[in-house]
Amino acid sequence: MKFRRKQRENVDINLVSLIDVVFVLLLFFVVTTTFTRETQLRVELPEAVSGSPAEDQQVKQLDIAINAEGVFSVNNQLLPKNDLSSLMDALQKESNGDTNLPLSITADGKTQHQSVITAMDAAGKLGFSHLRMTTVEAAPTH
């Protein structure tokens, strides 16, 4: 006896809706992601109403961070002493003598003025010309 086989239906999985969901999730994560630079020092930046936003550069840059107690770090490396000579040595080592690198000073809002002046003095003595002070945008007042 010869039985007839039923023809099997082709089962397809519709991937269009799956791809839509993946794109929506991707868009959600891209929009909600914040990019912050983590440092070893806790620094609360002072506020400024005017100023230009920092450009994203692929060029190597130097960053001097100063916390409220006046402790220095250069490119997230804590300095053993908080004086002008150790700051200059660290800047010279990190820059390899290239004074055309952009240099940003990130100081806590409660940092003593002398610590910021020491950082600017070290940059000036070494010949850095591209100096930037980092701030956060002030909240609008009504």
Side-chain angles (χ1 to χ4, degrees), residues 11-64:
V11 178
D12 291 333
I13 298 175
N14 189 358
L15 294 178
V16 173
S17 60
L18 177 67
I19 292 172
D20 288 344
V21 169
V22 169
F23 279 137
V24 167
L25 286 174
L26 179 67
L27 182 66
F28 173 77
F29 287 122
V30 168
V31 170
T32 59
T33 301
T34 58
F35 298 100
T36 58
R37 293 187 338 188
E38 296 295 327
T39 61
Q40 292 179 352
L41 293 177
R42 178 157 175 79
V43 175
E44 293 180 22
L45 295 175
E47 294 179 348
V49 175
S50 64
S52 61
E55 304 100 21
D56 291 333
Q57 298 177 351
Q58 297 296 346
V59 180
K60 180 182 176 186
Q61 70 175 13
L62 297 172
D63 183 39
I64 301 173

Short mmCIF file of all heavy atoms in Angstrom, two decimals, residues 11-64:
data_model
loop_
_atom_site.label_atom_id
_atom_site.label_comp_id
_atom_site.label_asym_id
_atom_site.label_seq_id
_atom_site.Cartn_x
_atom_site.Cartn_y
_atom_site.Cartn_z
N VAL A 11 8.06 26.80 6.78
CA VAL A 11 7.88 27.65 7.95
C VAL A 11 8.97 28.72 7.92
O VAL A 11 10.15 28.42 7.94
CB VAL A 11 7.97 26.84 9.26
CG1 VAL A 11 7.83 27.74 10.46
CG2 VAL A 11 6.94 25.74 9.26
N ASP A 12 8.54 29.96 7.84
CA ASP A 12 9.48 31.08 7.81
C ASP A 12 9.30 31.91 9.08
O ASP A 12 8.18 32.13 9.54
CB ASP A 12 9.24 31.98 6.60
CG ASP A 12 9.61 31.28 5.30
OD1 ASP A 12 10.47 30.39 5.34
OD2 ASP A 12 9.02 31.64 4.26
N ILE A 13 10.39 32.37 9.57
CA ILE A 13 10.35 33.27 10.72
C ILE A 13 10.50 34.68 10.17
O ILE A 13 11.47 35.00 9.48
CB ILE A 13 11.46 32.95 11.72
CG1 ILE A 13 11.29 31.54 12.26
CG2 ILE A 13 11.48 33.97 12.85
CD1 ILE A 13 12.42 31.10 13.17
N ASN A 14 9.57 35.51 10.51
CA ASN A 14 9.61 36.89 10.05
C ASN A 14 10.59 37.68 10.93
O ASN A 14 10.34 37.91 12.11
CB ASN A 14 8.21 37.50 10.13
CG ASN A 14 8.16 38.85 9.46
OD1 ASN A 14 9.16 39.35 8.99
ND2 ASN A 14 6.97 39.43 9.44
N LEU A 15 11.71 38.09 10.35
CA LEU A 15 12.75 38.77 11.11
C LEU A 15 12.60 40.30 11.10
O LEU A 15 13.33 40.99 11.80
CB LEU A 15 14.13 38.40 10.55
CG LEU A 15 14.55 36.96 10.73
CD1 LEU A 15 15.90 36.73 10.08
CD2 LEU A 15 14.61 36.58 12.18
N VAL A 16 11.68 40.80 10.34
CA VAL A 16 11.54 42.25 10.23
C VAL A 16 11.19 42.87 11.58
O VAL A 16 11.77 43.87 12.00
CB VAL A 16 10.49 42.62 9.16
CG1 VAL A 16 10.23 44.11 9.17
CG2 VAL A 16 10.93 42.14 7.80
N SER A 17 10.25 42.29 12.29
CA SER A 17 9.87 42.86 13.59
C SER A 17 11.00 42.70 14.61
O SER A 17 11.19 43.58 15.45
CB SER A 17 8.59 42.21 14.11
OG SER A 17 8.79 40.82 14.26
N LEU A 18 11.77 41.63 14.53
CA LEU A 18 12.90 41.44 15.43
C LEU A 18 13.97 42.51 15.18
O LEU A 18 14.51 43.10 16.11
CB LEU A 18 13.50 40.04 15.26
CG LEU A 18 14.74 39.74 16.09
CD1 LEU A 18 14.39 39.71 17.58
CD2 LEU A 18 15.35 38.43 15.67
N ILE A 19 14.22 42.80 13.93
CA ILE A 19 15.20 43.82 13.58
C ILE A 19 14.72 45.19 14.04
O ILE A 19 15.50 46.00 14.54
CB ILE A 19 15.49 43.79 12.06
CG1 ILE A 19 16.22 42.49 11.71
CG2 ILE A 19 16.30 44.99 11.63
CD1 ILE A 19 16.37 42.27 10.23
N ASP A 20 13.44 45.47 13.92
CA ASP A 20 12.89 46.74 14.39
C ASP A 20 13.09 46.91 15.89
O ASP A 20 13.48 47.98 16.37
CB ASP A 20 11.40 46.84 14.06
CG ASP A 20 11.15 47.05 12.58
OD1 ASP A 20 12.10 47.41 11.87
OD2 ASP A 20 10.00 46.85 12.15
N VAL A 21 12.85 45.86 16.64
CA VAL A 21 13.02 45.92 18.09
C VAL A 21 14.49 46.15 18.44
O VAL A 21 14.82 46.96 19.32
CB VAL A 21 12.48 44.64 18.76
CG1 VAL A 21 12.89 44.58 20.22
CG2 VAL A 21 10.98 44.56 18.62
N VAL A 22 15.39 45.48 17.75
CA VAL A 22 16.82 45.66 18.01
C VAL A 22 17.25 47.09 17.72
O VAL A 22 18.01 47.70 18.47
CB VAL A 22 17.65 44.64 17.21
CG1 VAL A 22 19.13 44.96 17.26
CG2 VAL A 22 17.41 43.23 17.72
N PHE A 23 16.77 47.67 16.62
CA PHE A 23 17.11 49.05 16.30
C PHE A 23 16.55 50.03 17.33
O PHE A 23 17.20 51.00 17.69
CB PHE A 23 16.61 49.43 14.90
CG PHE A 23 17.52 48.95 13.81
CD1 PHE A 23 16.99 48.38 12.67
CD2 PHE A 23 18.89 49.06 13.91
CE1 PHE A 23 17.82 47.92 11.66
CE2 PHE A 23 19.74 48.62 12.91
CZ PHE A 23 19.20 48.05 11.78
N VAL A 24 15.37 49.79 17.82
CA VAL A 24 14.79 50.66 18.85
C VAL A 24 15.63 50.58 20.13
O VAL A 24 15.91 51.60 20.78
CB VAL A 24 13.32 50.30 19.12
CG1 VAL A 24 12.81 50.97 20.38
CG2 VAL A 24 12.47 50.68 17.94
N LEU A 25 16.05 49.37 20.51
CA LEU A 25 16.89 49.22 21.70
C LEU A 25 18.24 49.91 21.50
O LEU A 25 18.75 50.58 22.41
CB LEU A 25 17.10 47.74 22.02
CG LEU A 25 15.91 47.02 22.64
CD1 LEU A 25 16.22 45.53 22.76
CD2 LEU A 25 15.58 47.60 23.99
N LEU A 26 18.82 49.75 20.33
CA LEU A 26 20.09 50.40 20.03
C LEU A 26 19.96 51.92 20.12
O LEU A 26 20.79 52.60 20.73
CB LEU A 26 20.58 49.99 18.64
CG LEU A 26 21.88 50.62 18.18
CD1 LEU A 26 23.04 50.10 19.02
CD2 LEU A 26 22.11 50.31 16.72
N LEU A 27 18.90 52.45 19.54
CA LEU A 27 18.66 53.88 19.59
C LEU A 27 18.47 54.35 21.03
O LEU A 27 19.00 55.39 21.44
CB LEU A 27 17.43 54.24 18.75
CG LEU A 27 17.09 55.71 18.67
CD1 LEU A 27 18.17 56.47 17.94
CD2 LEU A 27 15.76 55.89 17.97
N PHE A 28 17.75 53.58 21.83
CA PHE A 28 17.55 53.92 23.24
C PHE A 28 18.87 54.01 23.98
O PHE A 28 19.13 54.97 24.71
CB PHE A 28 16.63 52.89 23.90
CG PHE A 28 16.50 53.06 25.38
CD1 PHE A 28 15.71 54.06 25.91
CD2 PHE A 28 17.19 52.23 26.25
CE1 PHE A 28 15.60 54.22 27.28
CE2 PHE A 28 17.08 52.39 27.61
CZ PHE A 28 16.29 53.39 28.13
N PHE A 29 19.74 53.01 23.80
CA PHE A 29 21.02 53.01 24.51
C PHE A 29 21.94 54.13 24.03
O PHE A 29 22.67 54.72 24.82
CB PHE A 29 21.72 51.66 24.38
CG PHE A 29 21.07 50.59 25.21
CD1 PHE A 29 20.59 49.44 24.63
CD2 PHE A 29 20.92 50.74 26.58
CE1 PHE A 29 19.98 48.45 25.39
CE2 PHE A 29 20.32 49.77 27.36
CZ PHE A 29 19.85 48.62 26.76
N VAL A 30 21.91 54.45 22.77
CA VAL A 30 22.76 55.53 22.27
C VAL A 30 22.30 56.87 22.82
O VAL A 30 23.11 57.70 23.23
CB VAL A 30 22.75 55.55 20.72
CG1 VAL A 30 23.36 56.82 20.18
CG2 VAL A 30 23.49 54.35 20.17
N VAL A 31 21.00 57.10 22.88
CA VAL A 31 20.48 58.38 23.35
C VAL A 31 20.67 58.55 24.85
O VAL A 31 20.95 59.64 25.34
CB VAL A 31 18.99 58.52 22.96
CG1 VAL A 31 18.35 59.72 23.63
CG2 VAL A 31 18.86 58.63 21.45
N THR A 32 20.54 57.49 25.62
CA THR A 32 20.59 57.61 27.08
C THR A 32 21.98 57.45 27.66
O THR A 32 22.15 57.64 28.87
CB THR A 32 19.67 56.57 27.74
OG1 THR A 32 20.09 55.25 27.36
CG2 THR A 32 18.22 56.82 27.36
N THR A 33 22.96 57.13 26.87
CA THR A 33 24.31 56.96 27.38
C THR A 33 24.96 58.31 27.62
O THR A 33 24.86 59.21 26.80
CB THR A 33 25.17 56.16 26.37
OG1 THR A 33 24.56 54.90 26.14
CG2 THR A 33 26.58 55.94 26.90
N THR A 34 25.62 58.44 28.76
CA THR A 34 26.38 59.65 29.04
C THR A 34 27.85 59.29 29.03
O THR A 34 28.26 58.22 29.49
CB THR A 34 26.02 60.25 30.41
OG1 THR A 34 26.26 59.26 31.41
CG2 THR A 34 24.57 60.69 30.45
N PHE A 35 28.63 60.19 28.50
CA PHE A 35 30.06 59.95 28.42
C PHE A 35 30.75 60.90 29.39
O PHE A 35 30.75 62.10 29.21
CB PHE A 35 30.57 60.20 26.99
CG PHE A 35 29.96 59.26 25.99
CD1 PHE A 35 28.91 59.67 25.20
CD2 PHE A 35 30.42 57.97 25.87
CE1 PHE A 35 28.35 58.81 24.29
CE2 PHE A 35 29.86 57.10 24.97
CZ PHE A 35 28.82 57.52 24.17
N THR A 36 31.31 60.34 30.44
CA THR A 36 32.03 61.14 31.41
C THR A 36 33.44 60.59 31.56
O THR A 36 33.68 59.41 31.36
CB THR A 36 31.35 61.10 32.80
OG1 THR A 36 31.28 59.74 33.24
CG2 THR A 36 29.96 61.70 32.74
N ARG A 37 34.32 61.49 31.89
CA ARG A 37 35.68 61.06 32.15
C ARG A 37 35.85 60.87 33.65
O ARG A 37 35.68 61.81 34.43
CB ARG A 37 36.67 62.11 31.65
CG ARG A 37 36.65 62.22 30.16
CD ARG A 37 37.71 63.10 29.63
NE ARG A 37 38.22 64.07 30.58
CZ ARG A 37 39.04 65.02 30.29
NH1 ARG A 37 39.43 65.18 29.07
NH2 ARG A 37 39.48 65.86 31.19
N GLU A 38 36.15 59.67 34.04
CA GLU A 38 36.32 59.37 35.45
C GLU A 38 37.76 59.67 35.85
O GLU A 38 38.70 59.34 35.15
CB GLU A 38 36.02 57.89 35.74
CG GLU A 38 34.59 57.49 35.46
CD GLU A 38 33.60 58.18 36.37
OE1 GLU A 38 33.93 58.45 37.53
OE2 GLU A 38 32.49 58.46 35.90
N THR A 39 37.93 60.31 36.98
CA THR A 39 39.25 60.61 37.49
C THR A 39 39.38 60.02 38.88
O THR A 39 38.39 59.62 39.50
CB THR A 39 39.51 62.13 37.55
OG1 THR A 39 38.55 62.71 38.42
CG2 THR A 39 39.40 62.76 36.18
N GLN A 40 40.61 60.00 39.36
CA GLN A 40 40.83 59.47 40.69
C GLN A 40 40.46 60.48 41.76
O GLN A 40 40.17 60.13 42.88
CB GLN A 40 42.30 59.08 40.85
CG GLN A 40 42.68 57.89 40.00
CD GLN A 40 44.15 57.55 40.16
OE1 GLN A 40 44.90 58.27 40.78
NE2 GLN A 40 44.55 56.44 39.59
N LEU A 41 40.47 61.75 41.41
CA LEU A 41 40.11 62.79 42.36
C LEU A 41 38.65 63.18 42.19
O LEU A 41 38.16 63.24 41.08
CB LEU A 41 40.96 64.04 42.13
CG LEU A 41 42.45 63.94 42.41
CD1 LEU A 41 43.14 65.24 42.06
CD2 LEU A 41 42.70 63.62 43.86
N ARG A 42 37.99 63.44 43.27
CA ARG A 42 36.62 63.93 43.19
C ARG A 42 36.68 65.44 43.04
O ARG A 42 37.17 66.15 43.93
CB ARG A 42 35.84 63.54 44.44
CG ARG A 42 34.43 64.07 44.44
CD ARG A 42 33.52 63.28 45.34
NE ARG A 42 32.21 63.85 45.41
CZ ARG A 42 31.29 63.72 44.48
NH1 ARG A 42 31.57 63.05 43.39
NH2 ARG A 42 30.09 64.26 44.61
N VAL A 43 36.19 65.92 41.90
CA VAL A 43 36.26 67.35 41.60
C VAL A 43 34.87 67.83 41.24
O VAL A 43 34.22 67.29 40.35
CB VAL A 43 37.23 67.60 40.41
CG1 VAL A 43 37.21 69.05 40.02
CG2 VAL A 43 38.63 67.16 40.76
N GLU A 44 34.38 68.84 41.95
CA GLU A 44 33.12 69.48 41.61
C GLU A 44 33.45 70.79 40.91
O GLU A 44 33.98 71.72 41.51
CB GLU A 44 32.30 69.75 42.87
CG GLU A 44 31.83 68.47 43.54
CD GLU A 44 31.03 68.74 44.79
OE1 GLU A 44 30.48 69.85 44.93
OE2 GLU A 44 30.97 67.84 45.63
N LEU A 45 33.15 70.84 39.60
CA LEU A 45 33.56 71.97 38.79
C LEU A 45 32.75 73.22 39.11
O LEU A 45 31.57 73.14 39.43
CB LEU A 45 33.39 71.63 37.31
CG LEU A 45 34.30 70.52 36.79
CD1 LEU A 45 33.94 70.21 35.35
CD2 LEU A 45 35.74 70.93 36.89
N PRO A 46 33.39 74.39 38.98
CA PRO A 46 32.64 75.64 39.14
C PRO A 46 31.74 75.85 37.94
O PRO A 46 31.96 75.27 36.88
CB PRO A 46 33.75 76.70 39.21
CG PRO A 46 34.92 76.09 38.56
CD PRO A 46 34.81 74.61 38.78
N GLU A 47 30.73 76.71 38.10
CA GLU A 47 29.78 76.95 37.02
C GLU A 47 30.16 78.21 36.25
O GLU A 47 30.74 79.14 36.80
CB GLU A 47 28.37 77.14 37.60
CG GLU A 47 27.82 75.90 38.25
CD GLU A 47 26.44 76.12 38.83
OE1 GLU A 47 25.99 77.29 38.92
OE2 GLU A 47 25.81 75.12 39.20
N ALA A 48 29.84 78.20 34.96
CA ALA A 48 30.04 79.36 34.10
C ALA A 48 28.89 79.46 33.13
O ALA A 48 28.40 78.45 32.63
CB ALA A 48 31.36 79.26 33.35
N VAL A 49 28.44 80.68 32.87
CA VAL A 49 27.33 80.89 31.95
C VAL A 49 27.83 80.91 30.52
O VAL A 49 27.21 80.37 29.62
CB VAL A 49 26.58 82.20 32.30
CG1 VAL A 49 25.50 82.48 31.27
CG2 VAL A 49 25.99 82.11 33.68
N SER A 50 28.96 81.54 30.30
CA SER A 50 29.50 81.62 28.93
C SER A 50 30.66 80.66 28.78
O SER A 50 31.21 80.16 29.74
CB SER A 50 29.96 83.05 28.64
OG SER A 50 31.05 83.37 29.50
N GLY A 51 31.02 80.43 27.55
CA GLY A 51 32.13 79.54 27.26
C GLY A 51 31.77 78.66 26.09
O GLY A 51 30.62 78.61 25.64
N SER A 52 32.77 77.99 25.57
CA SER A 52 32.52 77.11 24.44
C SER A 52 32.67 75.67 24.88
O SER A 52 33.52 75.36 25.71
CB SER A 52 33.49 77.42 23.30
OG SER A 52 34.82 77.20 23.74
N PRO A 53 31.87 74.77 24.33
CA PRO A 53 31.99 73.37 24.70
C PRO A 53 33.31 72.80 24.19
O PRO A 53 33.85 73.27 23.19
CB PRO A 53 30.80 72.70 24.00
CG PRO A 53 30.39 73.64 22.93
CD PRO A 53 30.80 75.00 23.36
N ALA A 54 33.79 71.82 24.90
CA ALA A 54 35.05 71.20 24.51
C ALA A 54 34.88 70.40 23.24
O ALA A 54 33.90 69.70 23.05
CB ALA A 54 35.54 70.28 25.64
N GLU A 55 35.86 70.52 22.35
CA GLU A 55 35.82 69.74 21.12
C GLU A 55 36.37 68.34 21.42
O GLU A 55 37.32 68.20 22.18
CB GLU A 55 36.69 70.38 20.02
CG GLU A 55 36.33 71.79 19.70
CD GLU A 55 37.26 72.80 20.37
OE1 GLU A 55 38.37 72.42 20.76
OE2 GLU A 55 36.85 73.95 20.52
N ASP A 56 35.77 67.34 20.80
CA ASP A 56 36.29 65.98 20.94
C ASP A 56 37.48 65.84 20.01
O ASP A 56 37.33 65.94 18.79
CB ASP A 56 35.23 64.94 20.59
CG ASP A 56 34.12 64.90 21.63
OD1 ASP A 56 34.41 65.25 22.79
OD2 ASP A 56 32.99 64.53 21.28
N GLN A 57 38.63 65.63 20.56
CA GLN A 57 39.83 65.54 19.76
C GLN A 57 40.45 64.17 19.96
O GLN A 57 40.42 63.60 21.03
CB GLN A 57 40.84 66.60 20.17
CG GLN A 57 40.34 68.01 19.96
CD GLN A 57 41.36 69.03 20.47
OE1 GLN A 57 42.34 68.66 21.10
NE2 GLN A 57 41.12 70.28 20.19
N GLN A 58 41.02 63.66 18.88
CA GLN A 58 41.73 62.40 18.95
C GLN A 58 43.19 62.63 19.34
O GLN A 58 43.93 61.70 19.56
CB GLN A 58 41.65 61.67 17.60
CG GLN A 58 40.25 61.30 17.20
CD GLN A 58 39.61 60.31 18.14
OE1 GLN A 58 40.27 59.68 18.96
NE2 GLN A 58 38.30 60.17 18.05
N VAL A 59 43.59 63.92 19.42
CA VAL A 59 44.95 64.27 19.75
C VAL A 59 45.16 64.04 21.24
O VAL A 59 44.27 64.28 22.05
CB VAL A 59 45.21 65.75 19.39
CG1 VAL A 59 46.63 66.16 19.72
CG2 VAL A 59 44.91 65.99 17.93
N LYS A 60 46.37 63.62 21.58
CA LYS A 60 46.70 63.44 22.99
C LYS A 60 46.62 64.78 23.69
O LYS A 60 47.00 65.81 23.13
CB LYS A 60 48.11 62.86 23.12
CG LYS A 60 48.54 62.63 24.54
CD LYS A 60 49.95 62.12 24.61
CE LYS A 60 50.36 62.01 26.07
NZ LYS A 60 51.76 61.65 26.22
N GLN A 61 46.09 64.81 24.90
CA GLN A 61 46.03 66.04 25.65
C GLN A 61 46.42 65.78 27.09
O GLN A 61 46.42 64.64 27.56
CB GLN A 61 44.65 66.67 25.57
CG GLN A 61 43.57 65.92 26.29
CD GLN A 61 42.26 66.69 26.25
OE1 GLN A 61 42.12 67.63 25.50
NE2 GLN A 61 41.32 66.29 27.06
N LEU A 62 46.74 66.83 27.78
CA LEU A 62 47.11 66.75 29.19
C LEU A 62 45.98 67.31 30.04
O LEU A 62 45.32 68.26 29.63
CB LEU A 62 48.38 67.57 29.45
CG LEU A 62 49.64 67.09 28.73
CD1 LEU A 62 50.75 68.09 28.92
CD2 LEU A 62 50.06 65.74 29.25
N ASP A 63 45.77 66.71 31.19
CA ASP A 63 44.72 67.17 32.08
C ASP A 63 45.28 67.24 33.49
O ASP A 63 45.76 66.25 34.03
CB ASP A 63 43.53 66.21 32.03
CG ASP A 63 42.38 66.70 32.90
OD1 ASP A 63 42.14 67.91 32.92
OD2 ASP A 63 41.74 65.86 33.55
N ILE A 64 45.24 68.43 34.05
CA ILE A 64 45.62 68.63 35.45
C ILE A 64 44.33 68.72 36.25
O ILE A 64 43.50 69.58 35.99
CB ILE A 64 46.44 69.92 35.65
CG1 ILE A 64 47.71 69.90 34.81
CG2 ILE A 64 46.78 70.11 37.12
CD1 ILE A 64 48.47 71.21 34.82
#
